[in-house]
């Protein structure tokens, strides 16, 4: 083997530190999670879904939700969130955050995934950790489509969303002065 290809000792990863993401452009511009206007890998670096598809089998596996159950002949889905998940600011992730995220995905004027929510009728935080989704008809793909979309913070974005009338969108949020809060492995900083 050539010296360039000689393996070197690799140490175990260490927690902490800083990772700089270098990309073209001056700003993130529009990290609206519903609009998919930035590379999805950026979104997934700081936000996480309730359910993650298994890489080998594509079966839904627990992520922010640790379990779920279908009820009412498949017209109601209850997802229970983990207790140990917090936003980067230390506040807990709640079922209210998930309900808000799904409402935005369904109704945001710029949503690229609103079709995933066509059969969903309501998203309700029945407790801080239990999300109930009601459907008008059976949706066999919901867990692998909608439930795998990242959840975002109602505390950060809810006021902006609620203050709009007519066609609403998170795309007008001031992302430059209010960097997105997340739960994922990366935290956005100025």
């Amino acid at each position: 083997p050539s010296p360039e290809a000689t393996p070197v000792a690799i140490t175990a990863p260490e927690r902490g530190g800083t990772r700089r993401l270098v990309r073209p452009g001056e700003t993130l511009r529009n990290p609206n999670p519903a609009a998919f206007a930035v590379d999805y890998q950026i979104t997934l670096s700081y936000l996480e879904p309730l359910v993650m598809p298994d890489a080998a089998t594509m079966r839904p596996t627990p992520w922010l939700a640790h379990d779920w159950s279908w009820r009412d002949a498949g017209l109601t889905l209850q997802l229970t969130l983990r207790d140990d998940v917090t936003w980067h600011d230390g506040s807990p992730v709640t079922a209210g955050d998930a309900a808000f995220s799904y409402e935005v995905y369904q109704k945001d004027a710029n949503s690229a995934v609103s079709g995933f929510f066509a059969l969903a009728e309501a998203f309700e935080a029945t407790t801080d950790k239990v999300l109930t989704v009601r459907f008008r008809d059976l949706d066999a793909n919901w867990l692998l489509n909608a439930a795998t979309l990242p959840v975002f913070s109602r505390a950060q974005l809810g006021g902006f969303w609620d203050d709009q009338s007519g066609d609403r969108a998170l795309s007008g949020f001031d992302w430059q002065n209010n960097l997105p809060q997340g739960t994922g492995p990366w935290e956005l900083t100025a």
Side-chain angles (χ1 to χ4, degrees):
S2 69
E4 296 88 342
T6 303
V8 296
I10 297 175
T11 60
E14 292 183 29
R15 205 166 204 29
T18 301
R19 174 94 163 163
R20 287 186 48 89
L21 177 65
V22 179
R23 57 172 185 68
E26 296 175 20
T27 66
L28 282 175
R29 297 190 195 266
N30 180 16
N32 174 356
F36 288 79
V38 297
D39 185 318
Y40 192 53
Q41 295 304 311
I42 293 174
T43 304
L44 288 179
S45 71
Y46 69 91
L47 292 175
E48 298 174 292
L50 295 184
V51 176
M52 186 73 79
D54 180 272
T57 65
M58 292 304 292
R59 289 189 183 115
T61 58
W63 202 258
L64 295 184
H66 66 78
D67 66 33
W68 54 84
S69 61
W70 290 95
R71 300 178 180 186
D72 304 322
L75 295 177
T76 301
L77 174 63
Q78 279 196 329
L79 298 109
T80 305
L81 279 65
R82 294 177 15 218
D83 291 323
D84 63 341
V85 181
T86 59
W87 296 108
H88 291 145
D89 69 2
S91 60
V93 173
T94 68
D97 293 315
F100 170 70
S101 300
Y102 293 152
E103 175 189 351
V104 171
Y105 283 123
Q106 184 182 50
K107 297 177 181 176
D108 188 299
N110 298 322
S111 179
V113 292
S114 60
F116 290 172
F117 297 87
L119 298 176
E121 195 168 60
F123 313 104
E124 179 187 356
T126 48
T127 72
D128 277 350
K129 295 297 175 185
V130 176
L131 172 69
T132 302
V133 181
R134 298 188 202 303
F135 299 90
R136 50 182 138 269
D137 202 352
L138 299 177
D139 190 343
N141 295 313
W142 204 84
L143 272 178
L144 281 174
N145 288 333
T148 62
L149 293 170
V151 172
F152 38 91
S153 171
R154 181 166 190 25
Q156 181 179 33
L157 303 169
F160 179 80
W161 179 260
D162 292 340
D163 287 346
Q164 298 178 63
S165 59
D167 286 341
R168 299 186 288 178
L170 291 182
S171 296
F173 185 76
D174 182 0
W175 300 102
Q176 301 311 305
N177 292 313
N178 302 286
L179 292 174
Q181 284 291 315
T183 58
W186 292 6
E187 181 175 351
L188 297 178
T189 59

